[in-house]
Amino acid sequence: LLGRWLGAPVEELDTPALIVDLDVFERNLARMADWSRRTGRAVRPHAKAHKSPYVARRQLELGAIGITCSKLGEAEVLVAGGVLDVLISSEVVGPAKIARLIALARQARPIVVVDDAANAEALSRAASAAGVRLPVLVEVNVGQNRCGVEPGEPAGELAARVASLPGLRFAGLQGYEGNLQHVRSLEERRQRCLTSMDLLDRSRRAVNARGLATEIVTTCGTGTHQFVGDLDWVTEVQPGSYIWMDCDYLAVEGTGYEGALSLVTTVVSRQRADAAVVDAGWKSITIESGMPQVKGGLFTYAPAGDEHGKISAPDPAQLPALGARVELIPSHCDTTVNLHDHLFAVRAGRVEAVWPIPARGRVQ
Ligand SMILES: Cc1ncc(COP(=O)(O)O)c(C=O)c1O
């Protein structure tokens, strides 16, 4: 059904349609791959931004060492799509999820994170009973104050506990400073990132002091990876948004990545003098990170319900006519992608590929 869009001019796409500028997307991929080559830090891109094995495979082709995902459900979709090296960056807790994790470990190579000894013990019992050995990272709180054991000795203690448990293999540390990714100033972001990295390094030393190797130390996203290029104990980074960027991230100083994602909408009503109404509201584009920007800079967007948005202009005479296209730049790429079934990949004004987003909605 979707094949009919291949080769079509972008103006003909039905809307709302999430589109990717392929030239920009490929430049973003190449930029990250180049950074990795130059610095020797591996990249395990986060699939939470795209939720699609199609995009993951492009990242792997360019040298990514595996894929990170937030939820087990995302990992299951990636594995079904042939992506077998998956790091699940959120704790897997409870019998239902652990059973699914073990099933996944029989067909692929998942890596899990823990921040609690009881959870590690539950994973150990399930893995031992199934005869599988799960690689486990200890998650460290490096400043986000969300998940993760406290840095230093608590991290070392949990690592030793994991290493002592049958069915588990202690593989290293995860310490993600999600609180810093959108700090606007480059210098402030750098300073605060290096403070977080000190906490991670202290944790690594506490682990190593117990005779345990940290084969993996994973950290950083799009906004901060550039600061750890010369920290040789950081083995890898897990950026997600760099492939698309969104207008919130585009306002962050000095990331170097370009906007590749937009939502094409259509003006469906012109009954108000002060606004053009488009066919995209809360169910098509998210606003928790601020308002989407209207491409071109002339207009502004505000949601007007589940399925509608209002386009305003300083001079209402400039408002687009009924049937006109209006392109929005999402303010939060991850949650906007999660609302759509497909990404339309566009080059030189034509649809070159249609990528399904099969992990959308996979929050379990
Ligand atoms: C654990 C973890 N790692 C990496 C990322 C990727 O971050 P970004 O999209 O800012 O590159 C996220 C994003 O929320 C995350 O939660």
Side-chain angles (χ1 to χ4, degrees):
L1 206 68
L2 287 157
R4 77 188 171 102
W5 296 117
L6 292 178
V10 69
E11 300 81 47
E12 288 180 11
L13 274 177
D14 205 356
T15 64
L18 201 54
I19 66 169
V20 176
D21 181 325
L22 266 178
D23 288 335
V24 177
F25 166 77
E26 286 169 0
R27 278 204 296 276
N28 287 342
L29 281 185
R31 190 181 175 93
M32 184 62 75
D34 182 55
W35 174 84
S36 177
R37 260 192 309 275
R38 275 188 290 111
T39 62
R41 308 277 80 75
V43 180
R44 199 185 296 265
H46 212 304
K48 72 198 292 287
H50 56 69
K51 291 176 161 272
S52 173
Y54 298 84
V55 179
R57 282 204 291 267
R58 298 290 297 268
Q59 294 173 312
L60 291 167
E61 281 161 17
L62 273 181
I65 57 162
I67 298 292
T68 308
C69 44
S70 292
K71 295 291 183 82
L72 184 57
E74 291 174 357
E76 288 167 338
V77 170
L78 288 169
V79 168
V83 176
L84 302 187
D85 289 295
V86 283
L87 161 59
I88 304 166
S89 65
S90 307
E91 284 72 12
V92 177
V93 174
K97 281 213 176 57
I98 292 177
R100 281 167 53 203
L101 173 66
I102 298 299
L104 197 69
R106 291 185 194 281
Q107 352 157 13
R109 295 180 289 273
I111 304 171
V112 288
V113 304
V114 299
D115 67 0
D116 184 278
N119 180 220
E121 286 154 15
L123 291 170
S124 162
R125 281 191 297 276
S128 304
V132 300
R133 195 141 181 257
L134 280 176
V136 174
L137 306 180
V138 165
E139 185 172 22
V140 181
N141 176 20
V142 293
Q144 190 169 24
N145 296 327
R146 185 173 66 184
C147 301
V149 286
E150 288 309 301
E153 284 307 301
E157 280 161 27
L158 185 56
R161 183 74 190 118
V162 168
S164 74
L165 290 169
L168 305 186
R169 183 171 69 77
F170 172 73
L173 298 175
Q174 171 176 279
Y176 174 64
E177 6 70 280
N179 54 317
L180 304 182
Q181 300 307 319
H182 292 86
V183 171
R184 297 304 197 233
S185 144
L186 181 70
E187 208 34 54
E188 181 188 347
R189 214 163 64 251
R190 181 200 310 277
Q191 290 309 327
R192 291 177 64 186
C193 175
L194 294 178
T195 303
S196 286
M197 292 307 108
D198 280 345
L199 299 175
L200 193 53
D201 193 24
R202 264 213 284 133
S203 311
R204 176 186 72 93
R205 288 168 194 274
V207 170
N208 295 159
R210 286 166 168 80
L212 295 169
T214 36
E215 173 200 324
I216 295 176
V217 178
T218 181
T219 180
C220 291
T222 301
T224 56
H225 70 281
Q226 58 183 311
F227 308 130
V228 302
D230 57 0
L231 300 183
D232 57 7
W233 53 270
V234 169
T235 63
E236 60 186 65
V237 295
Q238 44 178 265
S241 304
Y242 72 99
I243 52 171
W244 312 138
M245 301 304 278
D246 48 41
C247 61
D248 190 29
Y249 242 130
L250 288 167
V252 172
E253 187 191 355
T255 66
Y257 294 90
E258 304 167 68
L261 188 72
S262 57
L263 185 74
V264 182
T265 69
T266 300
V267 176
V268 292
S269 177
R270 277 302 326 265
Q271 297 304 307
R272 308 273 85 75
D274 62 345
V277 175
V278 294
D279 56 355
W282 292 309
K283 286 187 177 170
S284 305
I285 193 159
T286 59
I287 57 166
E288 70 280 352
S289 299
M291 285 303 138
Q293 281 175 2
V294 181
K295 226 173 181 171
L298 190 59
F299 305 134
T300 53
Y301 168 91
D306 289 351
E307 310 295 0
H308 298 92
K310 275 188 175 176
I311 301 297
S312 309
D315 175 4
Q318 297 170 315
L319 283 170
L322 186 75
R325 300 298 183 105
V326 176
E327 213 170 316
L328 305 177
I329 304 171
S331 52
H332 190 185
C333 53
D334 300 20
T335 51
T336 295
V337 167
N338 190 47
L339 298 175
H340 293 266
D341 288 325
H342 299 98
L343 285 155
F344 296 90
V346 172
R347 199 186 316 266
R350 288 186 180 270
V351 177
E352 190 172 299
V354 183
W355 295 326
I357 312 173
R360 65 164 289 207
R362 290 299 197 110
V363 292
Q364 290 195 333

